[in-house]
């Protein structure tokens, strides 16, 4: 997080704190390293001024580069959440992937093209300033601006996904094979190869050329490699969530606390329920906010008897929420983007709190989806591994698993939805044994129970029961 600078055509602009350090570093290296070679014999105040001007110009050109990406995206109805300038350059945050290969190509090419344009303009400006015998304060920064933008566009065009060049490459592969996930897998593999090359060259520089450049390359390599994997994982996760809704992820029976209890009471609730946070619900059953162990820790212990939950909770207005019928993908995106561990789900019709999605709910849903999609990613689960049951709330029902030699079946389900009453081995008349589970349905809705014949879940062996509880 950093400082908000303002917004340009509706896109909020942030400056990461690391930027100040880097502006100072650039001002120093340009002013006292690069400039005395090109323009010898000036006073240190002039070098310092050229350095600062150059560093500021550099950040403005990075900003224009990012704006180019964002404006092309916005003009094509893609959402841009914000632009953050940080020590490696800029990041335009777009919560969704471009819907088509051609659009991705346009969006990712816009930045480097803009850097080339800035390089050309500043080159012409630099030439003109020499002809006109302009002050060194103009000549120096223009020369630097030209060099650095040529460098930025060249560097960004290296096909190291998720850098611009890598995105361009992905869009070209995507255009040919029509498969975004497969293209991302290829691009991210190539990206990681480049990341290792950056790091190897970085280590070489570190020892034999220049410590600073070496560290810089190591950092970029590390960044590219982790960003390539995380983007691929995110895409896989979104694919797994598929058509699920927020309500498919959420836990329905949620424990809550009253806004009127003291922090001492709250602390014992945390111990009792082993939760890291509670929704705060008032006597009318309306949500007033949310309180977490972090909120509690911020208050001194001797004040716990005289402070109430309502004094420390995050009020309802500040909570990030979803509606039950919104896509599960949106819920996960909100949790990742805002770095929150729990997300409230409100009913779209009544406006009441109906559930809570935590990180472990998301992981469980992904596990189930992975097993359903298993070998057959694109379509429905194979019919022979999917079963449907319809039961009533509060009712007990049995599931009998087929005999698998040497296997004891194991069930994955949500404890808020089902209670496992018993698990028995049944001897079959023809030899062998099967496993019989008895569950009680705790909650109305559509849920699933996944069964594996071994404790190590293998999607190919899983049986998926879709249980409709009415
Ligand atoms: Zn870019």
């Amino acid at each position: 997080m950093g400082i908000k600078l303002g917004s340009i055509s509706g896109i909020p602009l942030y400056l990461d704190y690391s930027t100040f350090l880097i502006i100072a570093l650039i001002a120093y290296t340009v002013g006292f390293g690069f400039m005395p070679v090109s323009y010898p014999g000036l006073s240190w105040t002039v070098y310092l001024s050229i350095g600062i001007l150059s560093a500021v110009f550099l950040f403005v050109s990075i900003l224009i580069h990012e704006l180019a990406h964002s404006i092309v995206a916005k003009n094509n109805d893609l959402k841009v959440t914000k632009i953050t300038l940080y020590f490696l350059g800029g990041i335009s945050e777009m919560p969704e992937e471009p819907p088509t290969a051609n659009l991705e190509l346009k969006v990712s090419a816009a930045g480097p093209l803009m850097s080339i344009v800035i390089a050309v303009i500043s080159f012409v400006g630099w030439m003109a300033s020499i002809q006109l015998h302009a002050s060194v304060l103009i000549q120096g920064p223009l020369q630097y601006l030209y060099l650095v933008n040529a460098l930025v566009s060249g560097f960004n065009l290296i096909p190291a996904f998720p850098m611009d060049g890598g995105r361009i490459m992905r869009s070209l592969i995507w255009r040919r094979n029509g498969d975004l996930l497969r293209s991302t897998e290829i691009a991210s593999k190539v990206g990681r190869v480049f990341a290792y090359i950056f790091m190897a060259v970085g280590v070489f520089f570190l020892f034999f050329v220049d410590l600073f450049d070496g560290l810089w390359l190591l950092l970029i390599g590390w960044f590219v490699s982790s960003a390539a994997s995380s983007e691929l994982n995110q895409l896989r996760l979104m694919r797994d969530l598929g058509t699920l809704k927020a309500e498919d992820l959420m836990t329905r029976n949620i424990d809550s606390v009253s806004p009127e209890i003291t922090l001492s009471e709250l602390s014992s609730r945390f111990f009792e329920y082993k939760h890291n946070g509670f929704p705060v619900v008032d006597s009318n059953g309306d949500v007033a906010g949310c309180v977490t162990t972090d909120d509690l820790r911020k208050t001194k212990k001797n004040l716990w008897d005289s402070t109430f939950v309502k004094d420390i909770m995050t009020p309802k207005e500040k909570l990030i929420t979803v509606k039950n019928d919104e896509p599960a993908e949106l819920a996960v995106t909100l949790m990742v983007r805002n770095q929150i561990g729990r997300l409230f789900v409100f009913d779209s019709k009544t406006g009441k709190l109906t559930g809570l999605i935590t990180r472990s709910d998301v992981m469980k849903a992904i596990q189930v989806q992975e097993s359903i999609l298993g070998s057959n990613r694109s379509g429905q689960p194979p019919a022979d591994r999917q079963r449907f049951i319809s039961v009533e709330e509060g009712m007990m029902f049995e599931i009998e698993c087929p005999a698998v030699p040497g296997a004891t079946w194991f069930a994955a389900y949500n404890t808020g939805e089902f209670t496992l009453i018993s698990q028995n081995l049944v001897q079959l008349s023809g030899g062998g044994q099967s496993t019989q589970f008895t569950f009680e349905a705790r909650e109305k809705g559509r849920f699933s129970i996944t069964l594996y014949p071994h404790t190590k879940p293998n999607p190919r062996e899983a049986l998926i029961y879709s249980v409709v509880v009415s």
Side-chain angles (χ1 to χ4, degrees):
M1 208 67 239
I3 309 158
K4 191 173 172 182
L5 283 184
S7 51
I8 297 178
S9 67
I11 305 162
L13 187 67
Y14 288 86
L15 198 62
D16 192 89
Y17 291 119
S18 64
T19 323
F20 293 107
L21 181 71
I22 235 61
I23 285 188
L25 258 173
I26 289 170
Y28 179 79
T29 44
V30 173
F32 299 100
F34 176 66
M35 289 301 159
V37 181
S38 306
Y39 308 92
L42 303 172
S43 73
W44 73 270
T45 43
V46 176
Y47 285 137
L48 183 66
S49 313
I50 297 177
I52 293 172
L53 271 175
S54 303
V56 171
F57 278 6
L58 168 63
F59 268 83
V60 171
S61 48
I62 288 172
L63 172 62
I64 296 172
H65 170 116
E66 289 307 318
L67 274 175
H69 287 303
S70 303
I71 287 170
V72 172
K74 269 202 105 173
N75 285 346
N76 288 282
D77 297 324
L78 272 179
K79 241 186 252 157
V80 181
T81 341
K82 61 178 179 185
I83 295 178
T84 307
L85 296 181
Y86 72 124
F87 70 100
L88 288 175
I91 281 193
S92 301
E93 268 182 45
M94 287 170 241
E96 49 204 343
E97 299 281 346
T100 65
N102 282 334
L103 186 50
E104 157 137 87
L105 181 60
K106 275 194 228 164
V107 171
S108 44
L113 280 179
M114 188 52 94
S115 296
I116 294 173
V117 170
I118 302 174
V120 170
I121 292 175
S122 40
F123 180 76
V124 172
W126 175 45
M127 286 294 141
S129 70
I130 293 173
Q131 291 297 319
L132 297 169
H133 304 288
S135 148
V136 173
L137 282 174
I138 296 172
Q139 277 191 38
L142 276 175
Q143 183 190 6
Y144 177 74
L145 200 60
Y146 142 66
L147 283 173
V148 86
N149 274 288
L151 207 69
V152 164
S153 52
F155 186 71
N156 270 295
L157 285 171
I158 295 175
F161 183 80
M163 283 169 38
D164 294 338
R167 286 188 189 282
I168 292 172
M169 182 182 71
R170 177 174 75 164
S171 71
L172 295 175
I173 303 172
W174 183 12
R175 199 151 74 168
R176 288 186 63 160
N177 70 5
D179 184 345
L180 173 62
L181 187 67
R182 185 78 199 104
S183 314
T184 309
E185 280 166 353
I186 299 169
S188 115
K189 245 180 225 159
V190 177
R192 257 172 300 181
V193 170
F194 274 102
Y196 297 140
I197 295 174
F198 290 156
M199 288 194 263
V201 175
V203 170
F204 177 80
F205 267 59
L206 205 62
F207 289 110
F208 302 108
V209 185
D210 182 279
L211 181 81
F212 187 71
D213 290 343
L215 283 175
W216 199 249
L217 277 165
L218 272 176
L219 205 59
I220 291 172
W222 171 79
F223 171 77
V224 167
S225 124
S226 61
S229 325
S230 89
E231 187 136 343
L232 181 60
N233 288 340
Q234 180 118 348
L235 197 66
R236 282 189 177 140
L237 188 148
M238 291 309 179
R239 186 263 337 260
D240 285 345
L241 291 175
T243 54
L244 293 184
K245 301 259 179 269
E247 62 189 359
D248 297 322
L249 300 189
M250 71 185 186
T251 302
R252 283 151 205 269
N253 294 331
I254 41 178
D255 306 307
S256 62
V257 294
S258 151
E260 307 297 337
I261 63 169
T262 64
L263 297 195
S264 305
E265 287 172 77
L266 176 67
S267 136
S268 51
R269 296 286 168 88
F270 279 134
F271 275 110
E272 196 181 322
Y273 290 94
K274 317 233 166 0
H275 293 325
N276 291 317
F278 281 113
V280 181
V281 176
D282 65 19
S283 50
N284 299 326
D286 291 323
V287 174
C290 169
V291 68
T292 63
T293 45
D294 283 339
D295 297 329
L296 181 66
R297 236 174 277 137
K298 282 180 202 147
T299 310
K300 283 204 187 92
K301 220 165 180 176
N302 57 356
L303 299 173
W304 280 11
D305 282 325
S306 54
T307 313
F308 296 91
V309 166
K310 61 182 175 195
D311 304 322
I312 64 158
M313 68 181 186
T314 307
K316 191 187 174 187
E317 308 78 64
K318 288 198 182 155
L319 293 180
I320 293 154
T321 65
V322 281
K323 298 200 178 78
N324 63 327
D325 48 8
E326 285 183 307
E329 199 184 311
L330 173 73
V332 176
T333 308
L334 283 172
M335 289 171 78
V336 172
R337 197 191 303 148
N338 297 295
Q339 298 181 326
I340 47 174
R342 53 186 58 70
L343 186 70
F344 289 127
V345 185
F346 284 87
D347 191 289
S348 60
K349 292 182 196 81
T350 61
K352 292 266 183 200
L353 182 69
T354 59
L356 187 66
I357 300 175
T358 61
R359 290 208 184 99
S360 68
D361 292 328
V362 176
M363 294 324 293
K364 256 182 244 158
I366 289 166
Q367 197 192 356
V368 171
Q369 285 293 97
E370 281 271 312
S371 61
I372 293 176
L373 297 171
S375 54
N376 182 8
R377 295 237 173 246
S378 54
Q380 287 295 307
D384 62 331
R385 280 194 280 115
Q386 209 186 17
R387 312 266 191 281
F388 293 91
I389 314 179
S390 192
V391 296
E392 273 166 36
E393 192 182 358
M395 205 175 103
M396 288 204 263
F397 59 97
E398 283 171 3
I399 291 176
E400 196 168 314
C401 299
V404 173
T408 310
W409 288 76
F410 146 86
Y413 58 95
N414 195 331
T415 49
E417 295 157 2
F418 303 104
T419 307
L420 180 62
I421 306 290
S422 67
Q423 176 174 357
N424 298 309
L425 287 178
V426 183
Q427 295 302 326
L428 300 174
S429 52
Q433 56 187 23
S434 72
T435 313
Q436 190 182 62
F437 291 93
T438 308
F439 286 101
E440 184 189 316
R442 296 186 55 180
E443 180 83 28
K444 284 196 178 86
R446 180 169 54 86
F447 312 113
S448 60
I449 297 174
T450 309
L451 298 144
Y452 302 101
H454 299 280
T455 42
K456 197 162 166 281
N458 177 353
R460 259 173 292 150
E461 299 174 313
L463 273 182
I464 299 110
Y465 277 84
S466 295
V467 188
V468 177
V469 186
S470 52

